[in-house]
Amino acid sequence: MKSLLKLAVGIICLINCSSGFSQVDTAQFKNHGPQLFASMIQGSAFVEDKNGSELIYTVVRGEPAHLLAYDLDTKSLQVDLPLGEADGVWDMAQSSDGTLYIPGADGTMFSHVPGTQEVKDLGTALEGETYLWNMTAGKDGEVFGATYPGCRVFRYHPVEGFSDVGKGPLVASENYVRSIAYYPKTEMIYAGVGSRAHLIEINPKTGEKRELLPEKYKNYEFVYGLEVVPGIDGNDRLFILLTNGSVTLVYNLKTGEFEQEIEKMDMRSIVGLPGGDGVFYTSGSSLKRFDPAYSESSSEVLGEEVGTANAFKVGKDGSIYLLTSRANLVKYDPNTGQIEKTKLKISRQPIPIQSLLYGPDGKIWSGGYLAGGNATFDPMTGAHAFLPGLDQTEGMSFQGDRIFFGVYPKGKFYVYDTKSPWDPKQGNPEKLGQIPDQSRAFAHVSLPAKNKMVFGMIPEYGKLGGALVTFDLISNQLHSHNSPVESQAIAGLCDAGEYLLVGTTISGGLGVKPTTEEAVLAGWDPETGETLFQLVPVPGASALTGLIKGPDGNIWGMGDGTLFRFDPIQKKVVDTHRLYDFPEFKSHIWRSAFLVLHPDGNIYGTDNKMLFRIDPLTLSFTELSNEAGLLVMDKAGTLFFRRGTDLWSFRP
């Protein structure tokens, strides 16, 4: 009994005496639940179970993602299983022993015996690899997979476990192995690399590697898709999708020659006939076929408005089956030319909140991760509304009654008039344009005195150097300006009155390593595009974020766990204060801290998964929660933040 009493006292002391952690009344926190839902499917495969029954497997994104299986004949749902903590899956492959392997988007891999009701978590494929992409089956029960950020290929065997096939990065300067294929005749592996394209042939027994991609194609971003199809007289072919141009190359595995360039060919999945005289694929939503021994220009359109194939199969009856990205199961009968289409019932899953805004309509706006879409929550009534139509919103801001959206991919911008109904098909929100070579606009600032909006951007994959984009509300024109700091992108913006204060990040787009070592604070004139000054407030910081006007007339911001205060008149850093430890820089930092000045006089923020409070007088730091991200405040002073898929609020 005494031991238990001592343990209880120790626990109480540990809780109450922890430095910097406030005993917050849990009633101050409230969960408003998931805001965004989607039935977005990704990795898919046609498989057979041990009884020979044909099934179509797919994964619907969510937290967690769910593995689904449907009977090919009855279209009925046979399997619905959560996949650990993975929020999605890009691919799956059935090994020669019948096991289905599913590479999770969180770096873990799962296995499943088709027809059963169990998923097995196999653990992390390779230490340090946080994302798994495509997968392919080898021989004798083995499978191979592609990883990020180490640009590696792994092998998994049910007896031998995981191993690193390439013995390190396939290309030292790259992060992604995005696609992978196995050629059974030679037992060679083909791996597609990005964000600067490489095609690598690997001997899985020795780890020996050979570059195959001709020099003329090295300016493409990714070898994004790979598929092996049979050909007549042993002329089997490897189809190779190159992105930021969407060109598919055809490589003859027998002769070693690149035979064709094909434009606008969907390469999520294609299938070749066993006899080698036909390849089925989708292009522009049409189902097509051509003989790979001849030019694709001779292809035959078999059906229009079919969709984009996620998976293909030549059925036992000779029919061609495909599952589209919109969950339509399509059957093409080559004897009759008839096409049957069945919409599979995919239940919507909650998806993570990617962006937050307190809008001019008094609602909390959110944007969804990957599957896109937007939603609103009314703090006054508790009403939720889902608003489909836009891709992944990275950042939002407003001026007057109009909300501006920075949308990924391809650096797109939209504006929504809140006084009219949400109707993307009728131009509300309206597309303003997009910025070449730029990808994501996280940082926004409204300049009503100048009738301008300014957006700070992260560049495309494999590129360094962001952009500052202005939108003139009078002329309705977008203008792009180079980053004020060479090779750095934009992580924070704040109106300093006579100029704009810009916080940079050393990171660029995914797949490229920084060439600079510390983020910079810059003064920038939004009228002329002139850089007025540059300085480093936090030596060694990788990104400067959370810029706000503080209670003392200074601009406050964060750099890797260090608070800095900047005098906008004197154009100098007043002081810096280390508040908390910050994780080691890995692949990139695009946004980090979010700060707001509360009516109670304190500054509240989120960063490194924490919700915290800073006393402006003493600069004392208090952690309020260890599970929070993003941050906005409504007019009543309630703070809203995300926990994965859920919107939470905290009332100080």
Side-chain angles (χ1 to χ4, degrees), residues 38-95:
S39 53
M40 179 183 182
I41 61 171
Q42 291 181 308
S44 307
F46 290 91
V47 304
E48 292 186 18
D49 65 16
K50 61 182 180 180
N51 299 317
S53 299
E54 294 182 288
L55 302 166
I56 174 63
Y57 274 83
T58 191
V59 170
V60 58
R61 288 198 71 92
E63 287 199 351
H66 278 243
L67 178 68
L68 310 177
Y70 299 82
D71 185 278
L72 201 56
D73 292 326
T74 66
K75 318 300 188 294
S76 60
L77 181 66
Q78 302 293 305
V79 175
D80 185 350
L81 299 169
L83 290 173
E85 296 183 359
D87 66 356
V89 165
W90 285 95
D91 200 9
M92 58 181 71
Q94 187 176 27
S95 68

Side-chain angles (χ1 to χ4, degrees), residues 193-207:
V193 171
S195 58
R196 286 170 293 274
H198 296 266
L199 175 62
I200 308 295
E201 180 187 71
I202 313 167
N203 184 328
K205 295 178 181 178
T206 66

Side-chain angles (χ1 to χ4, degrees), residues 61 78 253 311-312 355 364 380 390 494 501 628:
R61 288 198 71 92
Q78 302 293 305
L253 290 162
F312 263 106
S355 51
I364 306 299
M380 300 298 294
L390 297 186
C494 186
L501 192 63

Side-chain angles (χ1 to χ4, degrees), residues 227-244:
E227 294 278 357
V228 173
V229 299
I232 296 174
D233 298 329
N235 287 287
D236 305 329
R237 291 171 173 88
L238 180 66
F239 282 68
I240 305 148
L241 175 63
L242 301 173
T243 56
N244 82 315

Side-chain angles (χ1 to χ4, degrees), residues 94-368:
Q94 187 176 27
S95 68
S96 59
D97 65 11
T99 304
L100 185 65
Y101 289 96
I102 306 111
D106 61 348
T108 61
M109 194 167 81
F110 305 89
S111 67
H112 169 74
V113 177
T116 68
Q117 297 296 319
E118 182 182 3
V119 167
K120 184 178 180 181
D121 187 336
L122 301 176
T124 301
L126 293 177
E127 192 66 33
E129 300 305 287
T130 59
Y131 218 95
L132 306 183
W133 292 102
N134 283 24
M135 177 165 281
T136 188
K139 65 176 185 177
D140 301 329
E142 68 184 359
V143 291
F144 299 93
T147 78
Y148 168 90
C151 194
R152 295 157 79 184
V153 168
F154 69 87
R155 174 183 182 265
Y156 178 79
H157 187 275
V159 175
E160 300 168 8
F162 292 104
S163 59
D164 184 351
V165 173
K167 298 178 174 57
L170 299 195
V171 180
S173 60
E174 300 296 339
N175 294 124
Y176 288 86
V177 177
R178 183 57 185 80
S179 53
I180 192 167
Y182 175 80
Y183 186 40
K185 288 185 179 179
T186 61
E187 299 182 7
M188 289 292 187
I189 295 169
Y190 295 89
V193 171
S195 58
R196 286 170 293 274
H198 296 266
L199 175 62
I200 308 295
E201 180 187 71
I202 313 167
N203 184 328
K205 295 178 181 178
T206 66
E208 183 181 358
K209 297 179 280 287
R210 182 166 69 105
E211 170 72 77
L212 296 181
L213 195 66
E215 191 65 33
K216 64 181 288 190
Y217 301 113
K218 294 292 181 66
N219 61 327
Y220 285 84
E221 284 182 353
F222 284 89
V223 174
Y224 203 81
L226 293 171
E227 294 278 357
V228 173
V229 299
I232 296 174
D233 298 329
N235 287 287
D236 305 329
R237 291 171 173 88
L238 180 66
F239 282 68
I240 305 148
L241 175 63
L242 301 173
T243 56
N244 82 315
S246 192
V247 172
T248 298
L249 308 180
V250 181
Y251 176 73
N252 190 312
L253 290 162
K254 182 180 180 181
T255 66
E257 296 179 355
F258 286 86
E259 298 177 330
Q260 292 193 56
E261 288 185 12
I262 303 171
E263 294 185 355
K264 299 180 180 178
M265 183 181 194
D266 298 332
M267 271 283 293
R268 293 186 189 179
S269 181
I270 64 175
V271 68
L273 290 174
D277 60 347
V279 172
F280 290 85
Y281 63 103
T282 55
S283 176
S285 294
S286 295
L287 175 63
K288 295 184 177 183
R289 169 185 167 161
F290 83 109
D291 186 332
Y294 300 93
S295 171
E296 188 269 344
S297 62
S298 64
S299 64
E300 176 186 7
V301 177
L302 306 175
E304 298 180 343
E305 302 303 322
V306 171
T308 300
N310 267 20
F312 263 106
K313 175 183 176 66
V314 180
K316 293 179 180 179
D317 59 358
S319 297
I320 305 299
Y321 293 88
L322 63 143
L323 179 67
T324 73
S325 59
R326 295 187 178 274
N328 286 310
L329 181 59
V330 179
K331 177 183 178 181
Y332 169 74
D333 187 333
N335 296 317
T336 65
Q338 295 296 308
I339 290 180
E340 298 176 9
K341 185 186 295 186
T342 304
K343 180 76 170 180
L344 297 181
K345 295 180 180 179
I346 309 286
S347 59
R348 296 196 311 160
Q349 300 293 327
I351 61 174
I353 296 170
Q354 176 71 358
S355 51
L356 285 177
L357 171 75
Y358 178 60
D361 53 0
K363 298 175 182 178
I364 306 299
W365 283 73
S366 54

